[in-house]
Amino acid sequence: RKEVEQDPGPFNVPEGATVAFNCTYSNSASQSFFWYRQDCRKEPKLLMSVYSSGNEDGRFTAQLNRASQYISLLIRDSKLSDSATYLCVVKLGGGFKTIFGAGTRLFVKA
Amino acid sequence: NAGVTQTPKFQVLKTGQSMTLQCAQDMNHNSMYWYRQDPGMGLRLIYYSASEGTTDKGEVPNGYNVSRLNKREFSLRLESAAPSQTSVYFCASRGQKNYGYTFGSGTRLTVV
């Protein structure tokens, strides 16, 4: 079993739609959680950190469920520019070990 | 701010050739990392440097060496390239342990 698992997609949604991605992690010692965005043939860029209480940044909402060991990303009112691959990233506590999910591809259509 | 700068952006090597990928950051970050990204897989850590003067192996270190030249620069060397090392390589830095990474723009390496 992979340490961080994501549905690879692709998710094809129309502009204005709401879309949600889930990510599960296997190591209960995981301490920090992030969502990154990666455009085609570009480097990953930090989208947002994920906090236990949940957090929101504009149209993006991230949630963490430690008991079930999953994190989620909700995108409201999708834009064409949201088309990208979204990477779930989990950092284990204490050291430098960080696990990247393989990513979920999103296509937003006009 | 340039952030993290990687060179070269593209490279084609023949099997057995050597090369060094260069990486520099101007954010005064302590830790620096080299990852590789292959289709269908998450980024995998090759080597990292927690601070100037230290380096440690990551998940897939075989076939690679690194040098933390100073706080700004962290290079990755392939001594004898193999086709299995065809990949996209990303350098990254991080300011504090629980913060996110800043990545360079990547090096697309093909070994034939």
Side-chain angles (χ1 to χ4, degrees):
Chain A
R1 181 186 173 190
K2 291 182 181 178
E3 291 186 84
V4 174
E5 294 203 65
Q6 296 183 248
D7 181 342
F11 286 61
N12 292 288
V13 303
E15 268 188 300
T18 295
V19 61
F21 308 135
N22 287 329
C23 165
T24 58
Y25 61 94
S26 60
N27 194 322
S28 59
S30 300
Q31 185 180 76
S32 305
F33 308 88
F34 308 89
W35 283 102
Y36 280 73
R37 171 199 169 114
Q38 186 172 23
D39 293 301
C40 188
R41 302 180 74 83
K42 298 286 189 181
E43 72 273 23
K45 292 185 178 178
L46 180 64
L47 180 64
M48 58 197 304
S49 301
V50 187
Y51 303 117
S52 296
S53 55
N55 49 299
E56 191 173 302
D57 183 0
R59 297 181 293 108
F60 298 84
T61 300
Q63 296 279 354
L64 167 63
N65 185 319
R66 285 190 185 271
S68 301
Q69 296 186 192
Y70 78 82
I71 68 173
S72 64
L73 178 68
L74 182 78
I75 305 175
R76 291 182 299 278
D77 188 22
S78 299
K79 311 292 185 190
L80 294 176
S81 57
D82 293 334
S83 298
T85 298
Y86 291 85
L87 308 179
C88 170
V89 181
V90 173
K91 182 183 175 298
L92 301 185
F96 289 85
K97 186 171 183 181
T98 300
I99 310 297
F100 284 77
T104 298
R105 295 198 72 184
L106 171 66
F107 294 103
V108 181
K109 308 167 295 184
Chain B
N1 271 343
V4 178
T5 303
Q6 268 183 255
T7 56
K9 292 192 183 301
F10 301 93
Q11 184 72 49
V12 178
L13 291 178
K14 293 182 179 179
T15 298
Q17 286 185 318
S18 62
M19 77 163 296
T20 299
L21 282 65
Q22 306 288 351
C23 176
Q25 52 94 7
D26 63 2
M27 297 170 288
N28 202 36
H29 286 170
N30 285 322
S31 58
M32 298 185 72
Y33 306 80
W34 277 104
Y35 282 91
R36 61 178 288 173
Q37 186 175 36
D38 299 293
M41 304 183 73
L43 278 80
R44 292 182 292 167
L45 183 63
I46 304 170
Y47 271 92
Y48 69 96
S49 170
S51 60
E52 185 179 356
T54 69
T55 61
D56 284 287
K57 295 179 180 180
E59 184 184 353
V60 288
N62 291 344
Y64 305 95
N65 284 300
V66 290
S67 294
R68 183 74 182 266
L69 303 170
N70 47 54
K71 191 170 187 179
R72 290 186 64 247
E73 298 173 286
F74 188 38
S75 62
L76 178 72
R77 183 161 178 82
L78 287 71
E79 290 291 352
S80 178
S84 61
Q85 294 177 305
T86 293
S87 188
V88 181
Y89 292 84
F90 289 103
C91 177
S93 69
R94 184 161 61 184
Q96 295 187 37
K97 278 189 186 180
N98 292 329
Y99 286 11
Y101 294 96
T102 300
F103 284 90
S105 58
T107 297
R108 295 185 175 275
L109 175 67
T110 302
V111 183
V112 298

